[in-house]
Amino acid sequence: MDHFEYRNGILHAEDVPLTRIAAEVGTPVYVYSRATLTRHARVFRDALAGLDPLICYAVKANGNQAVLKLLAAEGYGADVVSAGEMKRALAAGIPAGKIVFSGVAKTDAEIRAALEAGILQFNVESDAELDAIEQVAAAMGVTARVSLRINPDVDAGTHAKITTGKADNKFGIAWDRAIDVYAHARRLPHVEATGIDLHIGSQLSKLEPFEAAFTRTVELIRRLKAEGHPIRHLDLGGGLGIPYSDETPPAPQAYAEMVHRVTGNLDLKLIFEPGRVIVGNAGLMLSEVVYVKETASKRFLILDAGMNDLMRPALYDAYHEVVAVNEPAAGAPRDPVEIVGPVCESTDVFARERPMPPVARGDLVAFRSAGAYGATMSNTYNARELVPEVLVDGDRYAVIRPRQTVDELIAMDRVPDWI
Ligand code: LLP
């Protein structure tokens, strides 16, 4: 459920007509609904409440300070994959003790910064990283808490470009090496390996791959415990999908019941790293139709938003529902169009053969379910200003990231005095 709906023929975010935001802030622009975001955060949290978990929101999905502050207020921690994301989380008031640090390429400087901040744990993805953490921690005279991210070699059944839990992915420590790497960790005096972690992919629409991966991990935990490893944390990652089109991903409640069934009597602190399921449907991207172009075989809606503003379709063939902001008349025809952006690349296509009601130059369209991996993945290709973000709360809204100006973009460059 979300708070984007037509009222008086105009799509609203809560009580604010999107036409007003477009007129006052311009397009393209991301628009988030506070009520939707908070609702999703609470539904997920409440579904898991019986498990007494720590929920570490995956900052990569949407790292805006306003979003992070709202989630901090709901008791969320953070899953970060860079010192930059860690800084964002800390700046928004998420306590260091609720931050886990994932990612395959943590640098010594990042490890140091995380140890200085006092984060809960590193999710370690290789032997080499374990050794680097040992060295940095030793130099600082501290002990680092780590979980080892084990790759369960399970097919998440999701898009190949967002799967992470297969043996041939770069993520995690191979399943059959896990016992050896824990034994190695035990010999390191400045590392305390008290947890195990996994994350098999994103936008999963079925419970079975989760269950298979979690079940394998529980088997491993039993073996590790039998060998005397003090495993106290189990980090189950993120990955729960959302409905973009006609998929019906499991509800958080069903996910929670499955987790309980699989991990029930192990006496572990559970950690979750949801991203998309929290913010995905709490946002949309608003764009204006610049031209409608007819060719011999096709009709193009050319928008002022491009693949630099919303990369998912170009990168993963991702589907986003595109709706007209002015509600189409009942029974209006739906004719197939190509929805494209202004960027000079053939892959700057949002949708092909998409049935759309009649829209004309100057009309507004909204890309639904764009709250996750939308603004965070945007960039400035073709010298396009970084897209702004707006947060709606009832009948008010605030710009939570202003549109960058091209002058600011140019000012980032430095011309050496020998040119
Ligand atoms: N934890 C780890 C270690 C991750 O790598 C990810 C996402 C998450 C948690 C959060 O996963 P979620 O709950 O959001 O599925 N840009 C792609 C998605 C990439 C996901 C990367 N890792 C997209 O737009 O679909």
Side-chain angles (χ1 to χ4, degrees):
M1 205 206 100
D2 62 51
H3 295 262
F4 299 104
E5 57 186 29
Y6 289 107
R7 288 191 203 163
N8 309 320
I10 295 175
L11 189 61
H12 281 57
E14 304 189 18
D15 300 330
V16 179
L18 292 176
T19 42
R20 183 176 143 209
I21 294 174
E24 294 173 3
V25 183
T27 53
V29 58
Y30 279 90
V31 181
Y32 310 130
S33 152
R34 175 182 183 164
T36 311
L37 176 68
T38 305
R39 178 176 184 280
H40 286 183
R42 289 180 185 166
V43 166
F44 192 83
R45 191 189 62 197
D46 294 350
L48 295 170
L51 302 169
D52 187 27
L54 172 63
I55 308 180
C56 294
Y57 165 70
V59 172
K60 63 173 83 68
N62 186 325
N64 189 289
Q65 288 293 290
V67 169
L68 296 181
K69 270 193 192 282
L70 287 175
L71 293 175
E74 298 298 326
Y76 276 61
D79 165 50
V80 303
V81 293
S82 67
E85 284 190 354
M86 182 181 75
K87 241 179 159 169
R88 275 191 177 279
L90 292 169
I94 294 178
K98 288 186 178 178
I99 296 179
V100 300
F101 196 145
S102 307
V104 294
K106 301 174 194 79
T107 64
D108 286 2
E110 288 181 314
I111 294 168
R112 204 171 303 116
L115 288 172
E116 274 163 11
I119 64 161
L120 178 64
Q121 69 180 34
F122 294 95
N123 288 337
V124 172
E125 307 231 11
S126 62
D127 307 58
E129 181 189 332
L130 203 49
D131 292 336
I133 292 174
E134 165 64 23
Q135 278 173 17
V136 176
M140 292 171 69
V142 298
T143 301
R145 285 176 297 274
V146 308
S147 278
L148 300 191
R149 176 170 176 181
I150 303 301
N151 185 329
D153 194 18
V154 164
D155 188 349
T158 185
H159 191 284
K161 287 188 180 167
I162 51 175
T163 189
T164 52
K166 287 285 294 168
D168 56 0
N169 292 129
K170 69 177 175 180
F171 299 98
I173 293 163
W175 177 260
D176 50 11
R177 296 210 46 248
I179 297 281
D180 286 349
V181 184
Y182 273 98
H184 175 57
R186 210 173 187 173
R187 291 190 289 270
L188 301 175
H190 300 88
V191 163
E192 204 190 356
T194 53
I196 187 163
D197 165 52
L198 75 159
H199 170 79
I200 58 172
S202 198
Q203 184 53 16
L204 271 73
S205 55
K206 295 201 163 57
L207 278 184
E208 287 76 13
F210 284 122
E211 181 157 3
F214 297 172
T215 305
R216 286 201 88 185
T217 305
V218 164
E219 278 165 29
L220 185 58
I221 292 170
R222 291 192 203 286
R223 279 179 62 190
L224 289 166
K225 283 190 162 186
E227 294 188 13
H229 293 282
I231 304 295
R232 294 192 292 269
H233 292 165
L234 168 56
D235 181 337
L236 295 169
L240 198 56
I242 62 170
Y244 283 98
S245 161
D246 50 9
E247 59 273 75
T248 48
Q253 193 61 43
Y255 174 79
E257 281 161 16
M258 179 275 291
V259 169
H260 183 62
R261 191 169 63 245
V262 175
T263 66
N265 51 3
L266 276 171
D267 191 24
L268 294 165
K269 179 75 177 172
L270 296 182
I271 301 175
F272 296 87
E273 302 173 352
R276 191 188 316 262
V277 73
I278 307 298
V279 287
N281 286 332
L284 51 74
M285 184 183 69
L286 191 57
S287 177
E288 185 178 311
V289 177
V290 183
Y291 294 111
V292 178
K293 174 171 168 177
E294 311 269 359
T295 66
S297 57
K298 291 194 187 314
R299 183 154 199 258
F300 291 93
L301 296 191
I302 306 180
L303 307 182
D304 65 358
M307 60 186 278
N308 67 299
D309 302 305
L310 176 61
M311 289 186 76
R312 305 192 64 257
L315 210 49
Y316 322 114
D317 302 313
Y319 178 96
H320 284 267
E321 190 187 354
V322 183
V323 298
V325 168
N326 285 308
E327 190 171 15
R334 308 262 161 176
D335 292 324
V337 293
E338 310 286 293
I339 305 178
V340 303
V343 171
C344 295
E345 298 267 352
S346 317
T347 182
D348 188 19
V349 177
F350 290 118
R352 296 182 198 277
E353 307 269 303
R354 180 71 64 87
M356 284 289 286
V359 283
R361 171 172 164 79
D363 285 354
L364 295 169
V365 295
F367 288 74
R368 304 294 312 262
S369 312
Y373 306 108
T376 38
M377 292 176 71
S378 63
N379 60 74
T380 60
Y381 186 42
N382 281 196
R384 294 169 49 76
E385 309 97 327
L386 213 48
V387 60
E389 297 170 279
V390 158
L391 180 68
V392 172
D393 176 31
D395 60 2
R396 62 181 172 178
Y397 76 85
V399 175
I400 57 171
R401 177 169 86 184
R403 190 183 309 282
Q404 188 187 35
T405 66
V406 175
D407 286 341
E408 284 167 341
L409 201 54
I410 294 172
M412 293 288 294
D413 295 355
R414 297 288 180 274
V415 180
D417 60 8
W418 36 263
I419 285 181

